[in-house]
Amino acid sequence: METNLVIIPTYNEKENVELIVRAIDGLSTGFSILIVDDNSPDKTAEIVGRLQAEFPFLHLLSRQEKQGLGKAYLAGFDWALQRDFSFIFQMDADFSHNPSDLERLLEVSKNSGAVSIGSRYLNGTSIVNWPLFRLFLSFGASKYVQWITGMKIKDPTAGFVCYPREALLAIELDKVQFKGYAFQIEMKFRSFVKGIPLKEIPIIFVDRTRGKSKMNSSIIGEAIWGVIKLKYQQITRVL
């Protein structure tokens, strides 16, 4: 029975997608995988289609165009909730998130009912191969989000997360507003507002070695103003 689903959004990840599927399949705990591909020009979806003959718990959701990370995850969450998955994970395809940490995230969520978060900042800073400016920007963003929202978690912008099914249902995914960097913050903030516990575990985040980063400057403005908007909506009881 399929109970744990790992959602991995892809756009031009031909160098990584087979490797990440094999790495997750090799874990002692069983995880199904959903690749949400945004019509990658490099034919990532074709590679996944070929792999499905070998891996029965590998699924593919193909979308017509690139609409942002948040939209890809929301499509994946909706797909998962239409089925009987109990724990739904989000992670990157590029091995910046270590597949073996999936089991640690699962254990925390199973034992506590919390949204479990792979944190880069829980024990100092655990990031490998980032330039100093990017590290400063990410760490500063985390402090800013903590200050505005009141969330006590160290890494509110983290993208390696396990959601119990009940948490995703409580969040009301149809009301999620942001599609880029601020999406990661909004999902945690909505959990926080609903009274769902947020628990962090320390991870080592390693910058990608294959493929091209999707990071761009537009994420900064969305995050800055998005956090203020979310806090205002909480205060005015719109959220």
Side-chain angles (χ1 to χ4, degrees):
M1 182 178 179
E2 298 178 273
T3 59
N4 310 312
L5 179 70
V6 182
I7 300 173
I8 304 175
T10 57
Y11 186 77
N12 288 345
E13 292 288 358
K14 67 178 182 180
E15 295 97 336
N16 293 304
V17 69
E18 181 171 351
L19 295 172
I20 198 74
V21 168
R22 293 190 181 279
I24 295 171
D25 182 72
L27 298 173
S28 57
T29 303
F31 292 93
S32 296
I33 304 168
L34 174 66
I35 303 295
V36 182
D37 186 72
D38 281 358
N39 197 21
S40 298
D42 73 351
K43 309 297 184 183
T44 298
E46 290 186 11
I47 296 172
V48 177
R50 172 175 56 81
L51 291 171
Q52 284 181 298
E54 182 179 352
F55 299 99
F57 296 132
L58 174 60
H59 308 280
L60 174 64
L61 180 59
S62 294
R63 294 166 10 108
Q64 292 303 307
E65 59 184 349
K66 194 168 186 275
Q67 298 176 3
L69 184 69
K71 292 289 187 181
Y73 274 128
L74 289 173
F77 291 150
D78 183 63
W79 188 94
L81 292 176
Q82 291 177 33
R83 293 157 178 85
D84 294 328
F85 294 103
S86 300
F87 296 93
I88 298 99
F89 300 75
Q90 60 169 76
M91 72 178 294
D92 294 343
D94 61 7
F95 285 91
S96 55
H97 303 141
N98 188 334
S100 66
D101 288 328
L102 288 166
E103 295 177 315
R104 298 170 59 221
L105 289 170
L106 177 61
E107 182 179 6
V108 170
S109 288
K110 270 189 172 180
N111 292 338
S112 65
V115 173
S116 56
I117 301 161
S119 176
R120 300 163 292 182
Y121 303 122
L122 190 59
N123 295 333
T125 300
S126 302
I127 297 177
V128 178
N129 293 336
W130 265 13
L132 186 60
F133 174 75
R134 186 171 176 184
L135 182 60
F136 176 79
L137 184 65
S138 175
F139 185 77
S142 296
K143 290 297 184 183
Y144 169 76
V145 172
Q146 291 172 35
W147 177 58
I148 295 291
T149 65
M151 291 191 292
K152 302 303 182 184
I153 54 175
K154 300 285 188 180
D155 196 357
T157 64
F160 196 16
V161 186
C162 173
Y163 292 96
R165 180 184 187 87
E166 294 76 14
L168 287 181
L169 291 170
I171 286 171
E172 299 177 283
L173 296 173
D174 60 318
K175 295 182 180 179
V176 173
Q177 304 162 66
F178 297 108
K179 64 180 183 179
Y181 195 61
F183 167 81
Q184 307 288 15
I185 302 165
E186 181 176 3
M187 289 292 292
K188 298 174 187 69
F189 187 61
R190 286 183 176 274
S191 301
F192 172 72
V193 169
K194 295 291 185 179
I196 300 165
L198 302 172
K199 292 186 178 294
E200 293 177 280
I201 66 166
I203 64 165
I204 297 175
F205 180 97
V206 181
D207 197 21
R208 69 162 62 232
T209 58
R210 293 175 297 270
K212 185 178 179 181
S213 173
K214 314 304 188 296
M215 195 98 164
N216 60 67
S217 59
S218 67
I219 65 174
I220 300 171
E222 183 188 54
I224 290 172
W225 296 110
V227 172
I228 294 173
K229 180 179 179 181
L230 289 172
K231 186 61 179 180
Y232 174 77
Q233 289 176 337
Q234 181 199 15
I235 293 169
T236 58
R237 300 185 184 278
V238 173
L239 193 66

